[in-house]
Amino acid sequence: FQYLKRYDQGHNLDTFCYEAHSVEGSPAECLQQFLLHCGITDPSWSMLRNFTWFLNIQLRDCEASVFCNPDFVQDTLQGF
């Protein structure tokens, strides 16, 4: 949710890193973001769950990768 919210606001996601147990927004706002970005017009709860699970795994792996670390990569992959 935090990544999607910042993406919609036009923030630079390269420097953002999720902090465990941090809470932002309301449950309704979170659901609205997921519905907006999941790519399915009328998703079921299981489709939303799969979307959030997949997105979470991808973002966690991205944060853990040295190749996605802006301090390591510097400006060589800007926007990638």
Side-chain angles (χ1 to χ4, degrees), residues 62 64-70 72-73 77 80:
C62 180
S65 172
V66 68
F67 298 107
C68 296
N69 182 334
F72 175 75
V73 178
L77 297 174
F80 181 69

Side-chain angles (χ1 to χ4, degrees), residues 8 12 22 27 38 47 49 53 59 64:
D8 283 347
N12 181 0
S22 63
C38 78
M47 290 176 181
R49 187 247 179 239
W53 175 80
L59 292 171

Side-chain angles (χ1 to χ4, degrees), residues 31-52:
L31 179 59
Q32 184 179 16
Q33 284 291 330
F34 292 152
L35 289 170
L36 181 65
H37 290 281
C38 78
I40 299 171
T41 304
D42 188 20
S44 66
W45 285 111
S46 65
M47 290 176 181
L48 283 175
R49 187 247 179 239
N50 289 337
F51 168 72
T52 57

Side-chain angles (χ1 to χ4, degrees), residues 2-47:
Q2 294 176 11
Y3 272 95
L4 294 175
K5 181 179 176 182
R6 283 167 176 75
Y7 174 78
D8 283 347
Q9 294 171 344
H11 293 188
N12 181 0
L13 298 179
D14 292 340
T15 58
F16 176 70
C17 189
Y18 171 73
E19 292 182 31
H21 308 294
S22 63
V23 177
E24 293 181 14
S26 68
E29 187 180 10
C30 182
L31 179 59
Q32 184 179 16
Q33 284 291 330
F34 292 152
L35 289 170
L36 181 65
H37 290 281
C38 78
I40 299 171
T41 304
D42 188 20
S44 66
W45 285 111
S46 65
M47 290 176 181

